[in-house]
Amino acid sequence: MIILAIDTSAVASAALIRCHEPLAPEAAGAAVLASFATEDTRSHAEVLAPGVRALLAEQELAGADIARIVVGVGPGPFTGLRSGIATARALAFAWDVPLDGVMSLDALAWDAVQAGAPADGFTVAIDARRRELYWARYASDGTLVDGPHVTAPQQLPSLPAYGAGAGLYRWQLEDAGASVDEAFDQAQPTAASLGLVAAARLAAGAPLLDTTPLYLRESDAQVPGPRKRAL
């Protein structure tokens, strides 16, 4: 079974995941066939569809070979999330395959666990701009404990923090009692890890999310109110 994973919560990324059928009880039965991730956080719409097309061509696959699509639902900025979710919905409709969501921060948590997360738990964080972070707290096995949230960096728990958001606000986090893992201080959620999270949950019979985006705060774009009378 081939899963196409997409995430645009921070950078634009996509991956093809091969899973055994029936799904194994652990993600050891899943492997990343191919993936890409940009470094730019502002070019999602331009690069995502061509990137997916290139992945399929690289593996000599077509839409008919995809059994399921999973997409990161954030938290993340409005434009970025819309690009990824809209693309995933369009492909799922065109190929007539199931579509599920996964919280994007879970992908970073997966990476932290594979690297040996601390026993007392940890947080993951990405940049939310406006001097804030999108973050969530996890147990050492990657189970979500709290979140997602969008707050000032100083409001994160005093735990080891993973992700590019933690690296961006290292001094504020360390002043507040947290620590930043230097091996992950530039890490962003990627579709490759997101797809492995989805494969593990499907294998365990755990539910995935729908594709409702986790924006967490109001958009900067607002519908203007009625114009005031001049007289």
Side-chain angles (χ1 to χ4, degrees):
M1 180 175 78
I2 306 295
I3 295 175
L4 170 63
I6 292 171
D7 188 82
T8 54
S9 59
V11 299
S13 62
L16 295 170
I17 311 295
R18 183 185 295 279
C19 307
H20 294 300
E21 292 188 88
L23 285 170
E26 300 294 338
V32 179
L33 291 179
S35 66
F36 85 89
T38 66
E39 295 184 2
D40 184 10
T41 60
R42 298 179 183 271
S43 61
H44 307 79
E46 293 87 348
V47 303
L48 184 57
V52 170
R53 188 185 308 116
L55 288 182
L56 293 173
E58 175 186 334
Q59 296 298 313
E60 298 183 346
L61 297 172
D65 299 309
I66 303 300
R68 182 183 295 267
I69 298 174
V70 294
V71 62
V73 295
F78 285 77
T79 303
L81 283 187
R82 278 196 296 267
S83 298
I85 293 173
T87 300
R89 288 175 176 173
L91 293 176
F93 177 79
W95 296 340
D96 191 24
V97 297
L99 172 64
D100 299 288
V102 175
M103 187 171 76
S104 301
L105 295 178
D106 290 350
L108 270 177
W110 173 273
D111 293 336
V113 170
Q114 304 313 302
D120 292 335
F122 60 95
T123 63
V124 301
I126 61 174
D127 184 20
R129 300 171 188 157
R130 303 185 191 173
R131 299 182 181 178
E132 292 182 324
L133 294 174
Y134 294 121
W135 64 274
R137 179 177 177 177
Y138 294 85
S140 60
D141 64 354
T143 301
L144 179 66
V145 174
D146 185 31
H149 302 288
V150 56
T151 70
Q154 295 84 347
Q155 293 181 252
L156 269 69
S158 299
L159 292 169
Y162 295 73
L168 183 62
Y169 291 99
R170 175 186 302 275
W171 309 122
Q172 292 92 326
L173 291 176
E174 292 179 346
D175 286 347
S179 60
V180 178
D181 189 299
E182 293 185 0
F184 287 85
D185 63 1
Q186 300 297 317
Q188 303 280 19
T190 63
S193 296
L194 190 94
L196 293 174
V197 170
R201 291 179 182 169
L202 289 168
L208 300 181
L209 303 177
D210 62 24
T211 59
T212 303
L214 297 171
Y215 289 136
L216 299 193
R217 64 186 179 199
E218 295 295 325
S219 172
D220 290 333
Q222 299 293 332
V223 177
R227 297 182 64 179
K228 295 182 180 180
R229 294 175 62 90
L231 298 177

